[in-house]
Amino acid sequence: MQFHLFDANPQMGWQVPDSNAAQSMWFNIVVNNANELLERAINAGFEMVVPLMKDEELGIWNGVVKDPFSYSWVIEQNIREADFSKRRQILNKRIQKLK
């Protein structure tokens, strides 16, 4: 699968997210070393949104950064294998608690 994220180019009609508006999507990157990639992102000018944290129940480390064009990126590392449906159940329970 490919995603193409372009810089703003008004002549082509390309726009980047509004940095002052809530974002309705993000990119989730699963890597072997989340801490290393998060550090590289910050050094490249990304803004820290959520620091790297461990979620034992989901079996992941993750954090969120925003790039200079206001795209949000979740950087994630698996700390143990868990199937997708189990993670979805956990997340759905968390969402229900917020209602």
Side-chain angles (χ1 to χ4, degrees):
M1 180 180 301
Q2 295 181 3
F3 292 96
H4 297 274
L5 305 176
F6 298 104
D7 295 350
N9 184 332
Q11 291 100 347
M12 297 294 291
W14 300 340
Q15 300 176 10
V16 297
D18 179 345
S19 62
N20 297 314
Q23 302 302 312
S24 61
M25 65 165 280
W26 62 86
F27 297 95
N28 198 102
I29 307 296
V30 181
V31 297
N32 291 327
N33 189 331
N35 191 52
E36 179 183 314
L37 185 57
L38 202 65
E39 186 176 310
R40 286 176 48 202
I42 297 302
N43 289 338
F46 285 51
E47 173 191 341
M48 178 73 70
V49 177
V50 177
L52 195 62
M53 59 186 159
K54 190 176 194 176
D55 187 323
E56 283 287 350
E57 188 176 22
L58 292 175
I60 60 172
W61 280 95
N62 70 0
V64 181
V65 291
K66 188 182 286 188
D67 71 23
F69 302 102
S70 297
Y71 291 103
S72 294
W73 299 82
V74 176
I75 299 173
E76 184 175 300
Q77 176 182 337
N78 291 326
I79 53 177
R80 68 174 162 69
E81 289 300 317
D83 80 12
F84 181 80
S85 61
K86 179 65 175 169
R87 285 185 178 163
R88 176 62 40 217
Q89 288 173 359
I90 293 167
L91 292 171
N92 284 339
K93 285 181 186 176
R94 291 179 183 179
I95 290 168
Q96 290 303 314
K97 287 181 183 179
L98 296 174
K99 291 182 178 183

